[in-house]
Amino acid sequence: MMVTADNVSVGFRKGLLRGTIRALDSFSLSVQQGDIFALLGPNGAGKSTAMYCFLGLVRPDQGSVSLFGKTPEPGHDLFRDIAYLPEEPHYHQYLTVEETVRFYARLHGVTGSLPVKKAIDRVGLGEFRDLRMAKCSKGMKQKVGIAQCLINDPKLVFLDEPTRGLDPIAVKEFRDVLVELNKKGATIVLNSHVLSEIEMICNRAAIMNKGRVVVQDEMARLRGTSLEAYQVECAPFEPLPEFLKVLVKTSTSVKGEIPAEKLDEFMRLMVLPGRKLIECTLKRATLEDSFFAVLKGGA
Amino acid sequence: MYAKLWANIETNMLFYRRNRLLVAAALFIVLVMCLTSIPAIVFTSKSQHLDLIKVVLNMVTSFGTIVTVGLGLMLVSQHIRDRSVKMIFTKPCLPEVWLLGSFLSAGLVAAVLFAGGLLIASVLFMVWSIPFQSGVLFIVVNEYFQAMSLMAFATFLSVVFHPVMALFVLLVLREGMFYWLKVMLAGGIKALGESGLAVLLKVVKFFVDAVYMIWPTFAPYSEKMMKLGNSLRGADADWMYLGLAAMYSIVLTAAFYFLTGYVLKKKRYV
């Protein structure tokens, strides 16, 4: 296992006499080598805290966390093979784009200007290399973060809301970068609110709520936690079957959904004289459907 | 380790150079110093030249101390507050190395400032044809080490508290204040005799005594400096005390370095 969390609990004091907030509660997770793993959950579910635990930035009150079989500590040597992209741009604001990437490269022990130049060019910031971080836009800062993730050929990458502030072209390029890193053998752990994006690139995911992992599985199986249905459109006829959930009804057509197991029955109705089927497509359960189903306790 | 240390020092130097607040504060202090000292330099009589050198030296070393302590208050806490420290601790760079980089870069800036003070005094000696007094060197070195130990203490406080609170502690809670409290409490206990309040005061005095004992002093041989401060003569300087004072400051700085490093390792960065 590349990343494991075993029964981790983390609490934060609200104030001197105001008790504690449980950010993680008996949180357990495992990420295998080569995974592109997503942590999903509503705001306050504990995704970022979990990531901070993995990075050694937050010590668990209970339980244990390990990366490559070792306990992460701030500045530990195991970070040689790890890259981290924070949710918000926590960079030295007074440095330029190039100075920032070079500084992180030097902390990784990467010397020479070529790897820095390559990383900056890879994320399309070549012409902004002399711009101070304080003057960079949110998207540019995010790209600097991506550039510094590429500098050490990481084996494990943590990404906290990686596409935040990026334009659609940059999102696409970023996806390519991730796939490229994964092909090179990097394991990727990310959290994001953009479920469609996660669905596109991740092979495994965990859905979190209130500091716990509710479901952890492969993406294909996770999607399967919701029932599949068919979207149909046909010419109006009477009586409409009860299992047809009508979404739109006009004088020329009826649009609706039928459960997958009722497809045969629906087709038998459609071959009757005077019936006209316009469209019938499989509506796959999306990650979004599963996400809501799991959070509502439907999984 | 040295490459990482150097990377941190270089980055801190850029921080000092590009931090507008820091540069503005430094310029303001230099301006005030110039406004107060230049007329005196121009219009004073020959008999007052040595006194003027003392004043200028005192101002420059005070300025150096303020800036050095300011660096201690700002540098580490700034990176914790703007969370850029997360990016450093998720690289193979130990908090101790990063902290050492901060201490050394502040030490370098302080060395330049205090060397500047020495240079200004030397130039004034030369311009006014006064024989150079080696006591100046003694004072500058002593003040430098004191500033460094104060900087280390300020850094430690700024990691434990908010920097404003740290500044308050630094300015108000001083060794002299605890000594004054000790004396006041001793007087109170004597005046109250055997009453119940005296028992309470004794308990309070016990704690004040304990704090007084552990609270660092930053000018351990200040009484030895009095005569030298007045004459600037090398003959009045006791170089052994300078060595001891420097050693004490280094130990104090190292102690606060390790304490700060310990707090940095235990801290939660969210």
Side-chain angles (χ1 to χ4, degrees):
Chain A
M1 290 292 172
M2 290 290 267
V3 180
T4 56
D6 185 22
N7 214 21
V8 171
S9 293
V10 174
F12 293 111
R13 292 187 73 83
K14 284 192 278 185
L16 203 60
L17 301 167
R18 292 168 62 199
T20 309
I21 297 173
R22 276 248 160 267
L24 292 179
D25 189 9
S26 306
F27 168 82
S28 295
L29 189 82
S30 59
V31 180
Q32 289 158 11
Q33 190 168 3
D35 274 350
I36 303 185
F37 192 97
L39 276 174
L40 309 172
N43 290 332
K47 306 182 295 291
S48 290
T49 306
M51 206 163 264
Y52 294 153
C53 282
F54 291 138
L55 291 162
L57 296 171
V58 170
R59 238 173 242 266
D61 298 326
Q62 277 174 22
S64 64
V65 172
S66 79
L67 305 179
F68 308 112
K70 291 176 186 166
T71 306
E73 296 275 345
H76 194 285
D77 216 36
L78 61 86
F79 285 106
R80 202 174 288 279
D81 295 319
I82 293 172
Y84 166 54
L85 176 68
E87 181 181 3
E88 283 175 35
H90 304 309
Y91 310 115
H92 295 57
Q93 299 295 311
Y94 51 91
L95 295 180
T96 64
V97 166
E98 187 169 0
E99 285 166 351
T100 302
V101 180
R102 188 184 299 131
F103 174 54
Y104 296 133
R106 288 171 77 183
L107 294 185
H108 271 298
V110 177
T111 51
S113 56
L114 192 65
V116 175
K117 189 179 176 299
K118 268 173 74 176
I120 292 172
D121 289 341
R122 178 72 182 85
V123 294
L125 283 179
E127 58 183 306
F128 301 106
R129 63 179 72 244
D130 296 323
L131 192 67
R132 291 250 185 109
M133 291 303 291
K135 290 180 180 169
C136 286
S137 69
K138 210 169 186 177
M140 285 161 86
K141 284 176 183 168
Q142 200 71 345
K143 285 182 180 180
V144 171
I146 297 166
Q148 60 89 29
C149 282
L150 301 174
I151 208 87
N152 59 323
D153 285 329
K155 289 186 182 132
L156 181 57
V157 185
F158 288 97
L159 308 161
D160 202 351
E161 296 287 347
T163 53
R164 199 173 164 174
L166 294 181
D167 59 57
I169 300 167
V171 169
K172 164 81 175 72
E173 281 170 5
F174 173 70
R175 268 202 307 266
D176 295 343
V177 168
L178 279 194
V179 172
E180 192 182 305
L181 277 172
N182 188 247
K183 274 183 186 165
K184 281 187 188 172
T187 304
I188 296 162
V189 180
L190 64 97
N191 74 44
S192 171
H193 290 294
V194 189
L195 298 177
S196 57
E197 182 185 290
I198 282 178
E199 203 170 357
M200 220 180 289
I201 55 170
C202 294
N203 67 319
R204 290 182 74 227
I207 298 177
M208 290 180 70
N209 197 20
K210 294 176 183 168
R212 285 169 177 264
V213 172
V214 185
V215 171
Q216 181 186 182
D217 213 331
E218 286 187 10
M219 192 59 76
R221 270 193 280 185
L222 208 56
R223 271 196 301 251
T225 53
S226 283
L227 285 174
E228 289 179 346
Y230 284 88
Q231 276 183 327
V232 293
E233 186 179 357
C234 58
F237 64 93
E238 291 297 338
L240 288 170
E242 275 182 15
F243 57 79
L244 175 64
K245 190 177 153 194
V246 178
L247 300 173
V248 181
K249 188 176 179 185
T250 63
S251 57
T252 54
S253 77
V254 176
K255 281 186 185 178
E257 274 181 21
I258 55 166
E261 67 273 14
K262 295 286 182 186
L263 182 66
D264 285 346
E265 196 176 331
F266 184 73
M267 285 302 169
R268 279 197 294 274
L269 287 172
M270 293 319 298
V271 292
L272 294 174
R275 306 281 161 89
K276 187 182 171 191
L277 182 64
I278 301 166
E279 190 181 350
C280 178
T281 51
L282 176 67
K283 185 199 169 198
R284 288 188 66 94
T286 61
L287 184 60
E288 191 177 75
D289 297 326
S290 307
F291 181 74
F292 286 114
V294 167
L295 290 183
K296 282 178 189 167
Chain B
M1 181 198 148
Y2 295 111
K4 288 170 195 171
L5 187 62
W6 190 240
N8 278 305
I9 291 173
E10 273 184 16
T11 308
N12 289 338
M13 289 302 180
L14 284 173
F15 172 74
Y16 297 146
R17 217 173 70 202
R18 293 175 185 171
N19 189 303
R20 285 182 190 156
L21 186 70
L22 210 62
V23 172
L27 286 176
F28 177 74
I29 296 171
V30 168
L31 186 73
V32 170
M33 276 173 59
C34 289
L35 286 175
T36 51
S37 59
I38 287 176
I41 289 170
V42 175
F43 299 113
T44 48
S45 64
K46 278 186 177 179
S47 62
Q48 290 172 308
H49 282 165
L50 189 66
D51 287 336
L52 207 58
I53 291 175
K54 279 189 264 178
V55 171
V56 170
L57 187 67
N58 187 36
M59 284 180 92
V60 176
T61 52
S62 301
F63 167 67
T65 304
I66 292 169
V67 171
T68 310
V69 173
L71 296 182
L73 274 177
M74 277 187 76
L75 191 60
V76 173
S77 65
Q78 163 102 4
H79 287 307
I80 292 172
R81 281 195 354 265
D82 71 15
R83 298 172 182 182
S84 55
V85 76
K86 277 186 196 177
M87 293 301 293
I88 294 164
F89 292 169
T90 52
K91 306 280 177 288
C93 176
L94 289 169
E96 290 91 338
V97 174
W98 177 70
L99 187 64
L100 188 61
S102 301
F103 272 43
L104 290 179
S105 47
L108 274 175
V109 173
V112 170
L113 291 174
F114 283 92
L118 186 64
L119 187 73
I120 291 169
S122 307
V123 168
L124 289 178
F125 275 122
M126 218 161 62
V127 169
W128 288 329
S129 307
I130 302 171
F132 180 77
Q133 302 296 314
S134 57
V136 173
L137 179 67
F138 186 105
I139 291 171
V140 168
V141 173
N142 184 52
E143 293 281 335
Y144 172 75
F145 280 106
Q146 281 182 23
M148 283 304 290
S149 54
L150 261 170
M151 181 277 297
F153 185 46
T155 306
F156 170 69
L157 291 176
S158 72
V159 170
V160 178
F161 307 113
H162 187 278
V164 176
M165 185 67 184
L167 185 65
F168 173 80
V169 172
L170 209 60
L171 291 175
V172 178
L173 303 182
R174 307 182 78 165
E175 182 207 13
M177 195 206 78
F178 291 114
Y179 183 75
W180 176 80
L181 263 178
K182 260 167 68 84
V183 172
M184 293 293 286
L185 285 166
I189 291 163
K190 199 174 175 185
L192 287 168
E194 294 299 315
S195 73
L197 193 59
V199 177
L200 181 72
L201 285 187
K202 277 179 187 168
V203 174
V204 175
K205 188 173 179 296
F206 174 78
F207 284 108
V208 171
D209 282 348
V211 173
Y212 178 73
M213 291 302 286
I214 58 166
W215 203 259
T217 178
F218 296 97
Y221 301 111
S222 53
E223 71 279 8
K224 299 277 175 193
M225 300 292 297
M226 298 276 262
K227 196 176 170 191
L228 180 68
N230 285 328
S231 70
L232 299 184
R233 289 172 58 195
D236 292 332
D238 190 333
W239 295 93
M240 197 190 79
Y241 277 110
L242 179 66
L244 288 174
M247 212 126 73
Y248 173 79
S249 295
I250 290 168
V251 169
L252 204 59
T253 307
F256 284 119
Y257 165 77
F258 287 115
L259 276 173
T260 311
Y262 178 78
V263 176
L264 283 176
K265 281 193 141 183
K266 294 285 169 196
K267 224 175 165 61
R268 283 176 159 182
Y269 303 95
V270 288

